[in-house]
């Protein structure tokens, strides 16, 4: 029976939507039937809505029991870890009569495969977590075979369209009755097994497709994709919306919190979910490092997974060192460009490290050396990973004189390649990419990245599977999903751009890509080679090579599309989706741990007894420190106070957290951002550079303005110990600290010379040793000794004479006499309060010193600070636990509803969805709010087909890199069209800002690029593909993705016009879609 009456387009979400059926998702029952009760005796709340009994999800909370993980091993030593999340009412199914296996394999299954298939036979969901190429596909195939045996439907989802096409081909060869549903292609939508992207599945659920009634199993491939920042929410929404009667198979790379995910599934779908995980690799891996400029490999992780630290450090020692002049740049002259100095910094952030790494590309002679080693040791085929299209192609072109194939293989490559491109038009076969790549392929060299033509990329994949490509230069996407292993893998880079900035590879990403090494049944061992350059960070490299896999953390966020789709269902609550999200589950799962920690800290705090007079000393010192912090914040926030004093060479006093003392006193129960007065130390340092020179600049109207909260100071610390022998002097590394870390400014300035290098820094340390022989620097070596002693500048004048010591103090700058006039009226009151508190503190200390020595007083005060710190931590954790129990994104949900009301998507009176909102529900390939503004604002009136296509292009192309052209290249008609889009985007941005939704207006508006409007305009006019490539510097694959994405948007806008009854505009969108749907852009996939 056909599940839809409108044909394939309606099934895959391309046609107009139908009202969502609440009963499809376990939310409602058929009219007239009695309301069921939740298992476990928890009654449901009934609410009548349009003849349906709607079940309030918040009234039916499911309690889940989690079993401890147990390890099972076979005779071959292959182990598997098994754990389960079970509803409390769940009863283990009786074995009964065992049926014939749904699928018999010609090989012996691994233990994890056997355990997973047993759960599937019991109709229970399972999460399979294993390394890449471990054989997780076997479990998915068994679930499909079981569905076929029992005449049930099964859905196989994948994260990307290309993977869907490949899975469709593989499963069709195995099972026959398989369909494919992506945004581009729909084949056999009534098949028993449907392969689709997760976006299509979510669209079907929102539209209430009757097809879901017949589905028994849903397979999520690469479920760890749920952590993706932009698209992870799609996975969560689809999982939540699926009916409770469906069982699941989740395939994932290794994730440490797999049981937490299974607990979430059992909780929201009221069914058991088992975790089957294994760290066993059928083909073990050996990891090597190649140092830039070196001549050999260093084994850092052997085939048994043991990390060889000595070999790791030997590899780092081989790295070529930079010359001092290259490392220091202009820091000695106070230049603001301090990024080049990050190699010296001991506390630099990971982002700065990664940014520095990107400036150094692996030398081509190093890459050639590695590939020569791979060839000589018979490690082909080999995958060479890079993290940009440009680098990938540059690496491939660096070995143009190498040939890996013989004459017979060359002929076979030509035959396959020519047969693949024969379906293209004659003019498309002459495209530069089509003509040039074949020469590389004939020599056994391939390239695989998102910029290739889809048909060319598929040819590369087929040739690699056939063993005709020996060295494949690929980006990260090649490691997703499809099983295409090699004998060896080479990493040419250690860092990648993640959309926000450059960072080092995580251990999980490294595990995913390195898992492509080693072909099961062919290789005894896989080989992984990591090429490192001289700017590698030691800790980051070690964590990447031998760290744990990344946890599966939710990236859930409320979207307007989700909100509109739920609001159009009468009786549905948007809070349900939020309450059921994995994000909310992770927050709630933290509560128990937070409360346990709070009790632990509270008991520790109560166990510490402190004398009353010591508590008074601690209280006065805390108040004095807070007052002095207020004083510092006043002049630190005013550049006029610091302009002439923050020069390179200025000696300053820094206040830094004493993390070692916190760790020693509190164990692991401390956080670096919460340290008390007793857990910080003062350290002398000399300024090397200021990150923003404007703070030290003056203009005719006064000092230049700058945001000092972002200002950092590069300093060279001398530490607390200043009287050490010359033979034991050690030169620490410079580091960057925030401006607020400056505790005092001294009157001393040292000469740094023209350049800062290791020799000059050692000289600075020696000069500081001689300064320590003249000035008393130890009195401020610790915060509490500083308060216990009588510092002259903190006491009123009458106490000054009694506080002098035998050794002269290092002169400090005074706020009144040395710094510029401070206009803030609060400064005088803060200063008076500081004098008063200092006097009281002095008296309290003297009183306590009557029966305590100065050392005992400091130790007692530290004990009091520890008690206060523990009490504060206990209170903070209780507050965090209370906050974790609140509904995540609740305030954001209210703000988004205000936006929808202001734009006319829902009625301000009763909150019902309006016609404009129903039209916006149809759009999920672009910004639905802007699309609705264009649709209802008359933007498409009197436009021709090619102008409609060009106008919509900024909504589907947001690339702002260097190949994006400005608006000056557009013809007048397209300039007006782009302005219409920008006006609609501006109105949406204003509504969001007025509703207090955090939004950077400039960044938001800059996301609608006009650089592809001209090429799309010509393509809609019928221009050949080669001609439109001359109008843009984008890759061919990028252009095709934009046009295909545009076709999806046109189809959705046509559906929106059908919903609002504008049939004339619907025909225009359909006509535009037909105009762009031609030639190489929509060439059929080789897999289908």
């Amino acid at each position: 029976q056909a599940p839809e009456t409108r044909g394939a387009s309606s099934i895959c979400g391309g046609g107009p939507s139908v009202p969502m059926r609440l009963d499809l998702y376990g939310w409602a029952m058929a009219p007239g039937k009695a309301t069921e009760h939740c298992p476990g005796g928890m009654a449901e709340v009934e609410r009548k809505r349009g003849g349906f009994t709607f079940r309030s999800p918040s009234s039916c909370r499911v309690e889940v029991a989690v079993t401890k993980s147990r390890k099972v091993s076979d005779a071959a030593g292959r182990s598997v870890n098994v754990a389960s999340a079970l509803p409390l009412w769940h009863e283990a199914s009786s074995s009964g009569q065992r049926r014939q296996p749904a699928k018999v394999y010609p090989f012996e299954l691994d233990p994890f495969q056997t355990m997973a298939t047993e759960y599937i036979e019991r109709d229970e969901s399972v999460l399979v977590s294993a390394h890449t190429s471990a054989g997780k596909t076997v479990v998915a195939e068994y679930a499909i075979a079981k569905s076929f045996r029992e005449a049930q439907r099964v859905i196989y989802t994948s994260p990307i369209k290309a993977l869907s096409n490949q899975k469709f081909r593989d499963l069709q060869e195995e099972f026959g009755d398989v369909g494919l549903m992506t945004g581009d292609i729909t084949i056999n939508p009534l098949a028993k097994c449907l392969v689709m992207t997760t976006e299509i599945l979510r669209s079907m659920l929102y539209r209430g497709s009757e097809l879901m009634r017949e589905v028994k199993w849903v397979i999520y491939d690469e479920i760890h994709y749920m952590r993706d920042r932009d698209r992870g929410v799609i996975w969560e929404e689809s999982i939540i919306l699926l009916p409770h009667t469906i069982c699941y198979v989740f395939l994932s790379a290794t994730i440490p919190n797999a049981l937490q995910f299974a607990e979430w599934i059992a909780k929201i779908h009221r069914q058991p979910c088992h975790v089957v995980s294994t760290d066993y690799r059928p083909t073990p891996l050996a990891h090597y490092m190649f140092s830039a400029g070196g001549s050999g490999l260093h084994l850092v992780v052997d085939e048994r997974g043991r990390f060889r630290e000595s070999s790791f450090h030997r590899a780092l020692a081989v790295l070529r060192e930079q010359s001092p002049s290259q490392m220091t740049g202009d820091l000695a002259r106070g230049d603001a460009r301090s990024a080049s100095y990050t190699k010296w910094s001991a506390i630099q952030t990971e982002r700065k490290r990664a940014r520095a790494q990107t400036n150094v590309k692996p030398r081509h002679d190093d890459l050639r050396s590695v590939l020569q080693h791979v060839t000589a040791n018979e490690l082909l085929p080999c995958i060479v990973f890079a993290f940009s299209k440009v680098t990938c192609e540059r690496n491939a072109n660096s070995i143009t004189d190498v040939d890996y194939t013989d004459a017979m293989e060359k002929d076979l490559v030509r035959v396959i390649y020519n047969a693949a491109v024969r379906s293209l038009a004659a003019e498309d076969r002459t495209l530069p990419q089509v003509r040039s790549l074949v020469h590389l392929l004939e020599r056994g060299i391939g390239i695989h990245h998102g910029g290739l033509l889809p048909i060319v990329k598929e040819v590369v994949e087929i040739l690699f599977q056939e063993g005709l490509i020996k060295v494949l230069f690929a980006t990260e996407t090649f490691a997703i999903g499809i099983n295409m292993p090699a004998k060896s893998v080479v990493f040419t880079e250690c860092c990648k751009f993640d959309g926000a900035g450059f960072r080092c590879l995580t251990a999980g990403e490294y595990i995913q890509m390195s898992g492509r090494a080693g072909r099961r049944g062919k290789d005894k061992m896989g080989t992984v080679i990591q090429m490192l350059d001289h700017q590698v960070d030691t800790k980051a490299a070690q964590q990447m090579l031998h760290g744990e896999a990344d946890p599966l953390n939710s990236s859930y966020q409320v979207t307007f599309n989700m909100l509109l789709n739920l609001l159009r269902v009468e009786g549905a609550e948007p809070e349900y989706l939020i309450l059921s999200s994995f994000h909310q589950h992770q927050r709630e799962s933290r509560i128990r741990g937070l409360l346990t920690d709070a009790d632990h800290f509270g008991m520790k705090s109560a166990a510490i007894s402190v004398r009353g007079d010591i508590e008074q000393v601690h209280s006065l010192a805390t108040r004095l420190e807070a007052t002095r912090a207020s004083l510092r914040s006043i002049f630190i926030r005013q550049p006029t106070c610091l302009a002439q004093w923050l020069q390179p060479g200025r000696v300053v006093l820094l206040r830094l957290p004493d993390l070692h003392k916190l760790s020693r006193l509190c164990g692991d129960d401390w956080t670096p951002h919460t340290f008390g007065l007793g857990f910080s130390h003062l350290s002398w340092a000399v300024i090397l550079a200021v990150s923003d020179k404007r703070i030290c600049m003056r203009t005719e109207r006064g000092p230049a303005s700058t945001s000092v909260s972002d200002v950092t100071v590069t300093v060279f610390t001398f530490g607390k110990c200043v009287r050490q022998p010359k033979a034991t002097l050690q030169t620490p590394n410079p580091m960057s600290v925030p401006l607020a870390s400056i505790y005092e400014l001294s009157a001393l300035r040292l000469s740094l010379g023209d350049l800062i290098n290791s020799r000059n820094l050692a000289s600075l340390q020696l000069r500081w040793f001689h300064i320590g022989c003249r000035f008393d620097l130890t009195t401020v070596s610790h915060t509490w000794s500083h308060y216990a002693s009588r510092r002259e500048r903190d006491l009123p004048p009458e106490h000054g004479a009694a506080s002098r010591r035998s050794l002269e103090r290092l002169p400090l700058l005074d706020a009144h006499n040395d710094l510029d006039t401070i206009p803030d009226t609060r400064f005088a009151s803060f200063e008076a309060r500081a004098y008063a508190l200092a006097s009281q503190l002095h008296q309290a200390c003297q009183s306590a010193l009557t029966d305590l020595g100065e050392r005992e007083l400091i130790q007692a005060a530290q004990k009091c600070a520890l008690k206060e710190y523990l009490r504060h931590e206990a209170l903070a954790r209780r507050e965090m636990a209370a906050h974790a129990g609140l509904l995540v994104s609740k305030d954001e949900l209210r703000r988004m509803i205000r936006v929808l009301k202001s734009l006319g998507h829902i009625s301000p009176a009763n909150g019902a969805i309006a016609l404009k909102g129903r039209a916006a529900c149809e759009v999920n390939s672009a910004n639905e709010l802007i699309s609705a503004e264009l649709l209802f604002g008359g933007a498409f009136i009197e436009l021709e087909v090619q102008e409609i296509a060009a106008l919509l292009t900024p909504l589907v192309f947001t690339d702002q890199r260097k190949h994006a052209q400005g608006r000056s290249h557009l013809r007048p008609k397209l300039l007006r069209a782009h302005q219409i889009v920008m006006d609609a985007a501006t109105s949406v941005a204003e509504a969001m800002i007025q509703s207090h939704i955090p939004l950077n207006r400039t960044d938001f508006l800059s996301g609608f690029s006009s650089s592809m409007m001209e090429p799309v305009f010509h393509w809609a006019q019928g221009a050949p593909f080669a001609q439109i490539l001359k109008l843009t510097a984008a890759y061919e694959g990028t252009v095709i993705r934009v046009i295909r994405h545009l076709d999806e948007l046109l189809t959705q806008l046509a559906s929106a016009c059908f919903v609002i009854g504008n049939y004339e505009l619907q025909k225009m969108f359909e006509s535009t879609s037909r105009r762009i749907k031609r030639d190489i852009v929509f060439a059929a996939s080789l897999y289908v």
Side-chain angles (χ1 to χ4, degrees):
Q1 297 179 354
E4 295 281 354
T5 59
R6 288 185 50 83
S9 62
S10 181
I11 295 177
C12 66
S17 62
V18 296
M20 184 187 293
R21 293 288 302 278
L22 296 176
D23 55 323
L24 290 179
Y25 313 107
W27 295 355
M29 300 184 60
K33 292 188 178 181
T35 305
E36 297 179 344
H37 291 271
C38 289
M42 293 177 287
E44 295 180 336
V45 177
E46 299 183 10
R47 289 191 297 166
K48 296 292 183 178
R49 287 292 186 272
F52 287 96
T53 302
F54 180 75
R55 307 190 312 193
S56 175
S58 59
S59 64
C60 186
R61 305 289 288 180
V62 179
E63 296 294 330
V64 175
V66 177
T67 65
K68 292 184 178 180
S69 177
R70 56 190 177 92
K71 192 172 185 178
V72 181
S73 302
D74 63 358
R78 300 174 298 182
S79 61
V80 56
N81 297 311
V82 181
S84 301
L86 308 172
L88 293 183
W89 66 84
H90 173 72
E91 295 181 1
S93 59
S94 58
S95 57
Q97 183 178 0
R98 290 185 60 87
R99 302 182 61 179
Q100 285 293 111
K103 182 177 175 59
V104 178
Y105 294 90
F107 51 85
E108 181 184 359
L109 297 183
D110 287 343
F112 84 92
Q113 296 169 332
T114 302
M115 294 294 298
T117 55
E118 289 178 359
Y119 288 129
I120 292 174
E121 277 292 343
R122 288 158 47 179
D123 285 338
E124 294 178 352
S125 300
V126 61
L127 165 63
V128 180
S129 174
H131 286 295
T132 305
S133 303
K136 298 187 291 291
T137 305
V138 168
V139 181
E141 291 177 348
Y142 193 88
I144 296 173
K146 182 178 185 297
S147 297
F148 274 64
R149 184 187 68 187
E150 300 177 2
Q152 299 168 334
R153 287 191 187 273
V154 58
I155 291 178
Y156 190 108
T157 70
S158 66
I160 56 179
K161 296 176 183 177
L163 180 57
S164 296
N165 295 338
Q166 295 164 350
K167 285 295 182 183
F168 168 74
R169 183 197 64 174
D170 296 340
L171 295 177
Q172 190 180 45
E173 292 177 354
E174 178 72 21
F175 298 101
D177 191 11
V178 179
L180 176 65
M181 298 165 64
T182 66
D184 302 331
I185 307 170
T186 298
I187 300 175
N188 193 13
L190 302 181
K192 288 184 180 179
C193 176
L194 291 175
V195 180
M196 63 182 67
T197 58
T198 315
E199 285 85 351
I200 296 297
L201 176 59
R202 183 186 66 165
S203 180
M204 291 174 59
L205 292 169
Y206 274 141
R207 283 154 175 74
S209 173
E210 294 285 342
L211 182 70
M212 301 307 301
R213 289 186 180 275
E214 305 174 16
V215 175
K216 178 60 179 177
W217 288 89
V218 174
I219 302 166
Y220 281 89
D221 197 1
E222 308 285 344
I223 189 61
H224 54 272
Y225 230 84
M226 201 173 77
R227 67 166 72 100
D228 184 77
R229 182 182 57 185
D230 298 322
R231 299 175 60 214
V233 62
I234 300 172
W235 272 255
E236 287 196 51
E237 288 183 15
S238 64
I239 292 174
I240 295 169
L241 292 174
L242 281 166
H244 300 326
T245 56
I246 287 180
C247 298
Y248 306 88
V249 173
F250 302 102
L251 307 181
S252 171
T254 52
I255 50 176
N257 61 334
L259 189 55
Q260 185 186 47
F261 179 85
E263 183 183 7
W264 173 60
I265 295 298
K267 182 178 179 181
I268 65 172
H269 284 301
R270 311 165 191 175
Q271 60 175 275
C273 184
H274 307 276
V275 176
V276 178
S277 61
T278 179
D279 292 328
Y280 170 77
R281 286 189 180 274
T283 306
L285 300 182
H287 301 257
Y288 295 85
M289 285 177 58
F290 179 88
S291 302
S295 58
L297 301 180
H298 302 267
L299 179 62
V300 292
V301 181
D302 61 22
E303 61 275 13
R304 295 185 179 180
R306 296 174 299 191
F307 182 74
R308 300 192 173 189
E309 189 170 358
S310 58
S311 180
F312 174 76
H313 288 293
R314 281 197 303 270
L316 295 181
V318 178
L319 296 176
R320 293 177 175 175
E321 296 183 357
Q322 286 181 314
S323 63
S325 60
Q326 289 176 325
M327 289 187 291
T328 56
D330 297 322
L331 284 175
R333 295 183 292 273
D335 197 297
R337 295 170 296 176
S338 59
S340 62
Y341 208 80
T342 54
K343 181 174 182 288
W344 294 80
S345 176
I347 61 169
Q348 58 183 339
T349 63
E350 197 70 30
R351 191 173 182 181
K352 289 183 179 180
R353 292 189 185 111
R355 187 185 299 116
Q357 290 181 30
T358 60
N359 296 326
V360 180
K361 301 297 182 182
R363 298 177 177 86
H364 289 156
D365 54 350
D366 289 338
L367 180 58
R368 293 174 68 92
S369 298
V370 171
L371 292 179
Q372 288 172 3
H373 172 85
V374 168
T375 305
N377 289 273
E378 299 180 350
L379 298 178
L380 297 177
C382 174
I383 302 174
V384 182
F385 281 115
F387 299 102
S388 73
K389 304 179 185 71
V390 174
T391 305
C392 189
E393 293 189 352
R394 184 185 297 124
N395 291 340
N397 292 325
S398 68
I399 57 170
T400 54
D401 57 339
V402 182
D403 196 339
Y404 295 104
T405 58
D406 55 29
M408 183 178 297
E409 290 175 326
K410 294 182 191 298
D411 292 338
L412 190 54
V413 168
R414 291 193 203 98
V415 170
I416 295 176
Y417 192 82
N418 292 333
V421 301
R422 190 176 296 123
S423 61
L424 301 178
E427 57 187 4
D428 290 334
R429 290 199 294 267
T430 62
L431 290 171
Q433 193 178 96
V434 176
R435 289 188 290 105
S436 62
L437 190 59
V438 66
H439 301 298
L440 280 175
L441 297 176
E442 288 177 352
R443 292 187 287 109
I445 301 171
I447 299 175
H448 189 283
H449 59 66
L452 295 180
L453 294 165
I455 193 170
V456 173
K457 187 162 59 173
E458 290 175 353
V459 172
V460 171
E461 293 168 356
I462 293 173
L463 292 175
F464 185 79
Q465 286 179 313
E466 296 298 327
L468 297 173
I469 292 181
K470 313 300 181 181
V471 178
L472 178 65
F473 294 89
T475 53
E476 185 180 4
T477 54
F478 189 77
I480 297 176
I482 199 68
N483 186 22
M484 292 188 183
K487 194 169 185 178
S488 61
V489 164
V490 175
F491 290 86
T492 61
E493 296 175 296
C494 301
C495 62
K496 59 177 285 190
F497 183 77
D498 61 359
F502 286 96
R503 60 169 176 80
C504 285
L505 288 177
T506 64
E509 292 167 338
Y510 180 80
I511 292 171
Q512 174 82 7
M513 288 182 282
S514 63
R516 290 302 176 198
R519 298 166 297 178
R520 184 169 188 172
K522 294 183 179 180
D523 304 323
K524 292 183 178 180
M525 183 178 63
T527 302
V528 183
I529 302 173
Q530 173 68 66
M531 297 178 63
L532 299 179
D533 56 50
H534 60 277
Q535 294 201 20
V536 66
D537 178 72
T538 305
K539 292 183 179 179
Q542 185 171 348
Q543 172 65 22
M544 176 186 66
L545 290 167
H546 200 244
E548 293 185 354
D550 302 328
L552 180 58
N553 292 323
S554 172
S555 59
Y556 186 80
Q557 55 185 334
V558 181
T559 63
F560 286 107
N561 186 271
M562 177 211 83
L563 195 54
L564 288 169
N565 275 285
L566 289 181
L567 288 174
R568 69 175 179 171
V569 182
E570 189 177 6
E573 296 178 353
E575 289 86 354
Y576 170 69
L577 217 59
I578 302 174
L579 189 66
S580 302
S581 67
F582 187 46
H583 189 184
Q584 183 70 19
H585 174 74
Q586 287 186 309
R587 286 167 60 97
E588 292 176 356
S589 63
R590 295 177 55 205
I591 294 177
R592 184 176 302 175
L594 289 171
L595 292 178
T596 301
D597 291 344
D599 293 340
H600 175 68
F601 281 118
M603 293 175 59
K604 276 191 171 183
S605 177
I608 299 176
S609 59
V610 181
R611 288 172 32 175
D613 56 346
I614 301 301
E615 287 185 346
Q616 182 185 10
V617 170
H618 172 73
S619 176
L620 288 171
T622 303
R623 292 164 58 192
L624 176 59
E625 175 61 21
T627 304
R628 288 180 55 78
S630 300
L631 283 170
R632 288 195 303 275
S633 66
I634 290 176
F635 65 76
I636 282 178
R637 288 191 176 94
Q638 299 188 31
T640 54
C641 304
L642 303 177
Q644 58 180 323
W645 303 106
L646 286 181
Q647 314 101 323
R650 174 69 57 190
V651 175
V652 296
L653 190 63
L654 302 178
R655 181 174 180 234
L656 303 171
D658 195 338
L659 305 183
H660 295 289
K661 182 177 294 182
L662 269 176
S663 179
R664 184 174 67 252
L665 294 177
C666 307
D668 296 330
D669 302 323
W670 61 274
T671 51
H673 62 279
T674 53
F675 58 92
L677 290 173
F679 306 108
S680 62
H681 68 266
L682 302 178
S683 178
W684 292 105
V686 60
I687 295 178
L688 302 181
V690 181
S691 65
D692 196 326
K693 290 182 66 176
R694 291 176 296 171
I695 196 172
C696 301
M697 294 173 55
R698 287 182 174 271
T699 63
E700 295 181 357
R701 299 182 179 181
S705 61
T706 184
S707 176
V708 297
S709 60
D710 297 328
V711 175
T712 58
V713 182
T714 303
V715 297
F716 176 76
T717 58
F718 299 113
K720 295 181 290 183
C721 183
V722 298
R723 293 174 180 266
Q724 48 187 331
K726 179 179 178 181
T728 63
L729 287 177
Q730 296 181 354
T731 304
N733 289 330
M735 63 182 185
S736 297
V737 298
L739 189 61
S741 296
I742 297 180
Y743 194 80
E744 297 282 7
L745 291 171
S746 79
L748 181 63
R749 184 184 178 191
L750 304 179
S751 175
L752 299 180
D754 294 334
L755 292 175
I756 303 173
N757 52 36
S758 56
R759 180 178 301 176
N760 289 346
L761 292 178
S763 176
L764 273 178
Q765 182 78 355
L766 183 59
R767 290 159 64 189
W768 184 252
F769 169 74
H770 293 296
I771 292 174
C773 296
R774 175 183 174 186
F775 295 101
D776 179 15
L777 305 174
T778 58
T779 57
V780 290
S781 63
H782 194 281
T783 308
W784 272 111
S785 63
H786 160 63
Y787 287 132
S789 64
R790 302 178 228 175
R791 290 199 59 212
E792 181 177 347
R793 71 187 311 275
D794 281 336
L795 300 179
E798 59 269 19
H799 293 283
S803 65
R804 301 189 182 276
R805 307 176 73 93
S806 59
L807 197 61
E808 183 183 0
R809 292 186 177 179
L810 187 67
L812 304 176
L813 296 180
D814 185 80
H816 288 294
N817 300 327
D818 300 313
L819 301 179
D820 290 348
T821 302
I822 299 176
D824 198 312
T825 56
R826 298 175 299 168
F827 187 83
S829 61
F830 280 134
E831 191 174 40
R833 186 187 305 173
Y835 280 146
L837 289 172
S839 178
Q840 297 175 33
L841 178 60
H842 168 68
Q843 295 175 2
C845 287
Q846 293 304 308
S847 176
L849 286 172
T850 56
D851 58 342
L852 288 176
E854 184 173 333
R855 180 179 297 275
E856 288 76 11
L857 173 60
I858 294 174
Q859 291 176 348
Q862 288 179 347
K863 195 176 181 181
C864 184
L866 176 60
K867 180 181 178 68
E868 180 66 19
Y869 164 77
L870 294 173
R871 188 193 67 80
H872 177 271
E873 286 298 302
L875 180 62
R877 276 161 173 74
R878 294 191 185 278
E879 292 177 352
M880 291 169 63
H883 180 69
L886 299 176
L887 186 66
V888 63
S889 305
K890 191 173 183 179
D891 293 336
E892 182 182 1
L893 184 63
R894 294 196 187 100
R895 291 192 289 265
M896 294 178 71
I897 291 177
R898 286 200 296 267
V899 172
L900 295 178
K901 288 182 179 180
S902 65
L903 293 176
H905 291 270
I906 57 179
S907 170
N910 55 13
I913 189 167
L915 188 62
K916 189 176 184 180
R918 294 185 181 277
C921 286
E922 303 297 323
V923 180
N924 54 44
S925 293
N927 189 299
E928 58 278 334
L929 301 185
I930 298 177
S931 299
E933 290 299 309
L934 295 173
L935 195 61
F936 282 76
F940 305 102
I941 298 176
E942 299 181 353
L943 289 184
E944 298 179 359
V945 168
Q946 60 268 23
E947 294 171 348
I948 292 177
L951 183 146
L952 293 173
T953 302
L955 298 182
V956 297
F957 182 68
T958 58
D959 197 336
Q960 294 296 303
R961 284 173 287 186
K962 60 183 181 181
H963 60 68
Q965 300 175 349
R967 287 167 48 114
S968 59
H969 297 270
L970 299 179
R971 62 186 65 201
K973 283 186 178 181
L974 298 188
L975 278 173
R976 290 193 296 271
H978 187 252
Q979 188 58 48
I980 291 173
V981 174
M982 297 306 294
D983 291 342
T986 301
S987 63
V988 171
E990 290 297 333
M992 295 174 69
I993 293 173
Q994 291 175 6
S995 299
H996 306 291
I997 292 181
L999 179 73
N1000 187 309
R1001 174 178 172 151
T1002 302
D1003 292 344
F1004 179 76
L1005 295 180
S1006 64
F1008 303 99
S1009 172
S1010 63
S1011 59
M1012 287 295 292
M1013 293 181 68
E1014 195 73 37
V1016 171
F1017 179 86
H1018 284 272
W1019 180 253
Q1021 278 187 323
F1025 192 71
Q1027 180 179 335
I1028 71 169
L1029 288 179
K1030 298 177 181 178
L1031 302 175
T1032 177
Y1035 280 96
E1036 292 89 333
T1038 303
V1039 176
I1040 289 180
R1041 279 197 303 275
V1042 170
I1043 298 177
R1044 288 184 175 182
H1045 195 175
L1046 175 62
D1047 179 66
E1048 292 181 30
L1049 178 58
L1050 287 167
T1051 303
Q1052 293 167 5
L1053 288 175
S1055 299
C1057 291
F1058 178 85
V1059 169
I1060 64 179
N1062 192 337
Y1063 305 113
E1064 182 178 352
L1065 189 55
Q1066 178 188 0
K1067 293 180 180 179
M1068 287 294 294
F1069 286 132
E1070 292 172 348
S1071 176
T1072 306
S1073 176
R1074 288 192 298 269
R1075 186 75 67 87
I1076 66 173
K1077 208 174 217 178
R1078 60 183 176 84
D1079 298 344
I1080 192 173
V1081 174
F1082 288 88
S1085 170
L1086 298 179
Y1087 294 116
V1088 299

